[in-house]
Amino acid sequence: AQKITQTQPGMFVQEKEAVTLDCTYDTSDPSYGLFWYKQPSSGEMIFLIYQGSYDQQNATEGRYSLNFQKARKSANLVISASQLGDSAMYFCAMRRPSGGYNKLIFGAGTRLAVHP
Amino acid sequence: DTGVSQDPRHKITKRGQNVTFRCDPISEHNRLYWYRQTLGQGPEFLTYFQNEAQLEKSRLLSDRFSAERPKGSFSTLEIQRTEQGDSAMYLCASSSSAGSTGNTIYFGEGSWLTVV
């Protein structure tokens, strides 16, 4: 069965420093997609970054990058130059590969606190 | 605002009452999803629509839950005879089946339900 594991319930980082949020996944299917979402206290799930299992390069979106290590089944999110507004819950998710649509399986999330 | 919108944002209801949530997806998106999120957990998939067809329902969606997307645009999620265990945030998301944009799933701000 597909599963997403986020082992860090909470993380804190100093403003302007980089932080890595861990995510490991389990699937036997060769084709899958991995997502990271940010959820501030308002509740909205904000899409950050996507990595396909066949993508050769690690995905990057501004200050966000995804450290994709396929053999280790990990997809860690790296946030560079942290800002106070980055304080939020962060969820890693995997797209169920079969069915042709984007059913997502989420991890339990990591709460990030950015300190000034 | 061209994002996914949900209404109402907050609902408090007495046990046994019916509630209905509405979701307006991004206009060009033909895929629509409902998820449920309880405190401290990641979202869990409830159901999926492609256009007006409901193609998958989770086992989490008991007989008291019904979702519709009558014209392939907005969707409603109704919960009948609410129970305290239904208290959660109900998230709507949408995506497109077209090309690489189908890899991105956009969520709304969610509808918080409290059953008292």
Side-chain angles (χ1 to χ4, degrees):
Chain A
Q2 289 106 18
K3 185 179 180 182
I4 291 284
T5 302
Q6 295 180 254
T7 58
Q8 306 154 314
M11 290 280 287
F12 66 88
V13 64
Q14 206 75 22
E15 192 179 9
K16 299 181 185 177
E17 293 185 349
V19 62
T20 298
L21 306 183
D22 294 343
C23 172
T24 58
Y25 59 92
D26 188 19
T27 181
S28 57
D29 202 294
S31 175
Y32 51 89
L34 297 157
F35 299 76
W36 276 93
Y37 284 87
K38 171 185 177 181
Q39 188 176 44
S41 57
S42 61
E44 182 182 5
M45 296 285 284
I46 301 168
F47 168 76
L48 296 179
I49 198 166
Y50 168 81
Q51 179 85 41
S53 59
Y54 294 121
D55 293 344
Q56 294 297 314
Q57 293 186 330
N58 288 344
T60 60
E61 290 285 350
R63 296 186 297 112
Y64 305 106
S65 60
L66 199 151
N67 184 3
F68 182 44
Q69 297 187 43
K70 197 170 183 177
R72 296 180 60 187
K73 293 189 175 180
S74 74
N76 298 339
L77 177 70
V78 180
I79 305 174
S80 62
S82 298
Q83 301 172 355
L84 295 178
D86 293 336
S87 294
M89 282 291 290
Y90 288 81
F91 290 96
C92 180
M94 178 169 60
R95 180 183 66 210
R96 192 188 80 168
S98 62
Y101 64 90
N102 289 329
K103 175 180 176 178
L104 297 180
I105 300 165
F106 284 84
T110 296
R111 181 170 297 281
L112 177 67
V114 180
H115 295 174
Chain B
D1 186 5
T2 57
V4 179
S5 63
Q6 294 188 240
D7 182 70
R9 292 291 320 281
H10 302 272
K11 179 73 176 178
I12 300 174
T13 190
K14 291 183 178 179
R15 188 177 55 184
Q17 297 294 305
N18 300 343
V19 296
T20 299
F21 300 113
R22 176 181 170 122
C23 170
D24 287 89
I26 293 171
S27 58
E28 63 268 25
H29 285 180
N30 59 338
R31 294 175 170 174
L32 186 146
Y33 316 81
W34 285 98
Y35 285 79
R36 181 171 70 185
Q37 185 178 19
T38 53
L39 284 176
Q41 301 294 320
E44 296 174 292
F45 172 82
L46 290 180
T47 190
Y48 159 69
F49 289 86
Q50 176 136 339
N51 300 311
E52 66 277 6
Q54 187 175 21
L55 298 185
E56 185 171 348
K57 292 171 59 174
S58 163
R59 285 173 294 177
L60 293 174
L61 218 63
S62 76
D63 291 343
R64 297 184 297 104
F65 288 71
S66 63
E68 295 182 344
R69 195 183 182 196
K71 297 182 180 179
S73 56
F74 73 91
S75 175
T76 58
L77 176 68
E78 181 183 18
I79 309 173
Q80 296 181 327
R81 305 180 304 280
T82 52
E83 301 173 356
Q84 287 187 323
D86 297 332
S87 295
M89 181 163 68
Y90 292 85
L91 286 158
C92 178
S94 71
S95 69
S96 169
S97 58
S100 62
T101 59
N103 293 325
T104 305
I105 305 167
Y106 295 94
F107 283 80
E109 292 182 311
S111 293
W112 290 93
L113 173 65
T114 302
V115 182
V116 298

